[in-house]
Amino acid sequence: MTAYETLRANPEFTALRAVSARLGSDPLQVQGPGGNTSIKSEGIMWVKASGTWLADAETQDIFVPVDHVSLAQAIAADDGSADDVGPFTFASDNPSGLRASIEATVHAGSKAKVVLHTHCVATIAAAIRADASAFLAEKLAGLPYAFIPYVKPGSNLARVIRNVAPEGTEILILSNHGLVVCGETVAEADGLLREVSARLTPTTMADPAAASQMLQDQLSGTGWFPVPHGPTQRIAQDERLLAIANGRTLYPDHLVFLGPGVTVAMASETIAQVVARAAQSPIPSKLVIVPGEGVAMPETASRSELALATAFGDVLARIDPNAAVTRLSEDQEAELLDWDAEAYRQSLNMERGEERRPI
Ligand SMILES: [Zn+2]
């Protein structure tokens, strides 16, 4: 039997595929190709492949075999050798030929058999709060969790987790990013994920709203349309939510799929002018908010972009509108886009209509 055939005979793998597909189909846990799951079995860690969707876990081969022992040693050595997960893949046992997720390092860093990582919107709403440490201490009292400061997803994140969380910590709340749970069985990890998500979900949330008729009429012919999600539309109707939305990016996948932050229409701009400004900026913004009217995105939006526009409303609906939030810095945004930090800053300045600074 090949390693993959052995794995497929393991009922825990069947359970992992089912939980992965469920999480991947739940927009409150996973948006687009985000999130990843893994299982360690017979000396191999099988982790979701980069670019695949957890929703497809039961119908496609989305798991890649990784030498997690060597990868964990590379993370501990902290010499940069864990930056590329590729060399740690068991190529001869890789049925799909796909690359492991860059977050495989986070999975390898845990000794637990099962690791689930999602971009749970309730967790993100809690983890972007400026007072997240105290807030989590109250909401997650009694649970074995650690709050991990923001770093770029990948080997750096695995290293920070290693330094911050005592070995065996079963729940990791990733600042401005999401949730990781670890267990000896799929059921145990899934139980923790449900518990944390439930505890961090507020009892009251902002009501959904709809885009105004004026916005719908004026978007006609621009190539943009109102985001078809009530919680996202709500942001345009609530000054406090708009203040949270209107700033630098809150979490990585928003930046990767929708561009930095949001573009908010100025009082002097027509609808056609603001969507043109968003589309033509050096780093295009795919989310435009027209205060009092609604939120729009390009008609050409991919499924992933639509999922992130939906998640933005779901995250903001779950945050206390009076809470202060922590945002990614310009350097952190540039790093996610693989931009040179200074070039990125200048592009943002151009978008804001500021003078280009001499180099
Ligand atoms: Zn992630």
Side-chain angles (χ1 to χ4, degrees), residues 150-234:
Y150 177 83
V151 282
K152 183 183 176 183
S155 59
N156 272 351
L157 177 56
R159 184 176 51 78
V160 170
I161 291 170
R162 194 172 175 278
N163 292 338
V164 172
E167 192 170 313
T169 303
E170 291 160 295
I171 300 165
L172 305 172
I173 308 293
L174 307 181
S175 179
N176 295 78
H177 182 165
L179 171 63
V180 177
V181 293
C182 310
E184 284 311 297
T185 64
V186 173
E188 186 190 333
D190 186 32
L192 288 174
L193 185 136
R194 290 170 185 261
E195 173 85 20
V196 172
S197 301
R199 288 206 198 187
L200 295 180
T201 299
T203 48
T204 56
M205 290 182 230
D207 291 329
S212 71
Q213 192 60 48
M214 186 281 264
L215 181 69
Q216 295 181 46
D217 292 346
Q218 295 205 10
L219 284 173
S220 174
T222 64
W224 288 61
F225 77 122
V227 175
H229 190 56
T232 305
Q233 290 300 334
R234 181 74 200 173

Side-chain angles (χ1 to χ4, degrees), residues 34-36 101 103 117-119 153 157 174 177-180 252-253:
N36 31 70
S101 160
E103 289 177 327
H117 165 51
T118 67
H119 298 158
L157 177 56
L174 307 181
H177 182 165
L179 171 63
V180 177
D253 274 6

Side-chain angles (χ1 to χ4, degrees), residues 9-10 21 24 36 39 86 109 118 121 142 144 153 182 210 263-264 275 281 284 288 320 337 342 347 352-353:
N10 180 348
N36 31 70
I39 185 167
T118 67
V121 294
C182 310
T263 297
V264 178
V275 297
S281 71
V288 162
D320 175 350
L337 296 173
E342 184 55 29
S347 295
R352 296 177 192 129

Side-chain angles (χ1 to χ4, degrees), residues 9 21 45 110 115 127 161 172 175 222 231 244 279 302 308 324 331 358:
M45 177 178 82
S110 168
V115 178
I161 291 170
L172 305 172
S175 179
T222 64
I244 294 172
S302 67
L308 268 298
D331 284 352

